Amino acid sequence: MKTRITEILKIKYPIILSGMSWISMPELVAAVSNAGGLGILATGVMSADETLEAIKKTRSLTKKPFAANITLYFPGAEKNARVIIDQKVPVVNYALGKGDWICKDVHAYGGKVIATVTTLKHALAAQKDGADAIIVTGHEAAGHGGDVTSMVLIPGIADNIDIPIIAAGGFADGRGLASALILGADGISMGTRFMNSIESPIHENQKKATNLTDVYSTLYTDKVDGMKARVMKTPGAKRLINKRLNPFSALVRSRKIAKMLGFPWLKLAIGITFMGYKKSMAMARMAIGFDAFQSGTMDGDNVKGVLPIGQIAGIITETLTVKQIIDKTIKEAKKSQEVLASRLK
């Protein structure tokens, strides 16, 4: 299967692993790349040293192209970016910030850059900055999807930019891949589907829970980590939505963020102090979100923790290997093409 994405990234299939914190780790990244897709290593909650080790481990597990992501919104993101660029990771994915300097440095060693966006405005900015492709994240997605559904967002952006699109949000099988290609995308990114795979490091409780959910089992809120995000509808999610905060809690909780990311706490604390009420509250939410996402993902705790999942979880009913997922997706996409052709006669 050839698209502009497979050609640019030098991969067999136009299927990408979403960069999910605590989940898109070397083993899962390598499994996706080895099966013909592109794995994206999630470095957002890693320190620079942890990022370096994760890149080295990924390289020990696959000789195929892989990517690493940079969440520019997070404190210390530039340090991670420098490690990723110094290591000449084949593909770099960035989000939540301006990436012109990333494009320049990655292109200097022959790498490719993918920006993650949720709006046409940001898609156009990424194209201007030099991104080789974009991941367009629709409302259905786990985590930080946009306000517009993929069905509308993909063609709306495809009609206005020249670089390839990877569709994210609402894709878990071959029907989704075929639909995305028809809508104007050149490939798909799957998070929830790969999260619920044999190779995924997520707690087994959450894989079982995902298999039992329906399409109504998520919440979309900015009360978890300060940004609008889709999570599983659980007691933990409802608790955080109702939780009252004050700016002082941002200072208290920022120490854990700073330690996790290898960022000077005093510098972060001073920054929070001068942010003003609205931004300091957002920082407090982000700190809470870090704890909640980690507990939900790695501990399988849906009372204290929160699990980001997409609405597409409602059609996932079994935990498969990454290779089985990709092979099944490609087979279903080809079958969907035949069905469409027969109906358009």
Side-chain angles (χ1 to χ4, degrees):
M1 182 176 287
K2 289 186 178 181
T3 70
R4 288 189 296 173
I5 281 297
T6 62
E7 295 295 308
I8 288 174
L9 303 182
K10 295 180 171 55
I11 56 179
K12 186 175 182 181
Y13 302 123
I15 298 175
I16 317 297
L17 165 69
S18 298
M20 301 171 284
S21 295
W22 295 289
I23 300 172
S24 298
M25 301 300 283
E27 292 81 3
L28 183 56
V29 172
V32 173
S33 289
N34 287 335
L38 181 82
I40 298 182
L41 179 68
T43 73
V45 294
M46 295 182 186
S47 67
D49 288 341
E50 289 170 335
T51 295
L52 177 59
E53 289 306 309
I55 291 170
K56 289 180 178 179
K57 186 169 185 179
T58 302
R59 282 195 162 124
S60 74
L61 297 172
T62 184
K63 302 304 178 185
K64 301 290 182 66
F66 70 95
N69 71 2
I70 303 163
T71 308
L72 294 171
Y73 174 77
F74 288 170
E78 189 171 344
K79 288 185 178 180
N80 269 0
R82 291 266 59 101
V83 170
I84 292 168
I85 291 168
D86 289 345
Q87 287 295 304
K88 299 182 179 180
V89 172
V91 183
V92 178
N93 168 226
Y94 72 88
L96 298 174
K98 187 169 175 58
D100 52 346
W101 59 278
I102 294 174
C103 295
K104 179 181 177 182
D105 289 355
V106 173
H107 289 158
Y109 64 77
K112 300 298 182 183
V113 180
I114 303 172
T116 297
V117 304
T118 59
T119 67
L120 175 59
K121 177 183 176 180
H122 292 153
L124 291 169
Q127 179 173 263
K128 183 177 180 181
D129 286 344
D132 299 287
I134 56 173
I135 295 174
V136 174
T137 310
H139 187 61
E140 304 93 327
H144 306 109
D147 292 327
V148 181
T149 64
S150 294
M151 180 68 75
V152 177
L153 186 62
I154 296 165
I157 292 180
D159 288 346
N160 290 282
I161 67 168
D162 300 317
I163 58 178
I165 289 173
I166 299 163
F171 303 100
D173 59 20
R175 294 172 298 177
L177 173 56
S179 299
L181 297 178
I182 292 170
L183 290 171
D186 300 273
I188 58 172
S189 177
M190 298 195 296
T192 301
R193 174 64 275 193
F194 284 130
M195 176 197 73
N196 186 8
S197 66
I198 297 295
E199 293 89 342
S200 169
I202 194 172
H203 197 283
E204 290 299 315
N205 287 352
Q206 303 295 42
K207 295 180 186 181
K208 293 176 182 177
T210 302
N211 287 333
L212 297 174
T213 60
D214 58 31
V215 296
Y216 308 103
S217 299
T218 66
L219 297 169
Y220 186 66
T221 177
D222 63 356
K223 302 299 185 182
V224 175
D225 70 348
M227 294 182 288
K228 290 181 179 178
R230 187 174 300 284
V231 299
M232 186 185 288
K233 188 186 296 183
T234 61
K238 294 176 181 177
R239 176 180 62 84
L240 289 184
I241 289 173
N242 295 321
K243 188 177 182 65
R244 292 173 178 260
L245 298 178
N246 60 70
F248 179 71
S249 66
L251 285 173
V252 174
R253 294 176 180 275
S254 65
R255 186 180 291 275
K256 182 169 183 177
I257 293 180
K259 183 179 180 181
M260 180 184 297
L261 302 180
F263 192 80
W265 177 73
L266 182 59
K267 184 176 180 180
L268 182 59
I270 292 172
I272 292 171
T273 301
F274 290 98
M275 277 180 175
Y277 179 80
K278 186 175 181 179
K279 288 188 176 179
S280 65
M281 290 294 283
M283 184 61 69
R285 286 286 181 191
M286 186 174 82
I288 290 172
F290 269 51
D291 284 341
F293 287 147
Q294 186 173 21
S295 293
T297 301
M298 305 315 297
D299 301 333
D301 188 337
N302 287 324
V303 176
K304 293 181 180 179
V306 173
L307 179 68
I309 63 167
Q311 289 177 316
I312 201 68
I315 71 167
I316 298 171
T317 59
E318 57 184 346
T319 303
L320 304 172
T321 67
V322 164
K323 187 176 187 307
Q324 287 173 328
I325 291 170
I326 290 181
D327 288 348
K328 184 178 180 183
T329 299
I330 295 301
K331 183 178 180 180
E332 288 174 347
K334 292 178 178 178
K335 180 64 177 178
S336 296
Q337 182 185 36
E338 294 171 3
V339 171
L340 180 62
S342 69
R343 291 179 178 176
L344 292 177
K345 286 182 178 179

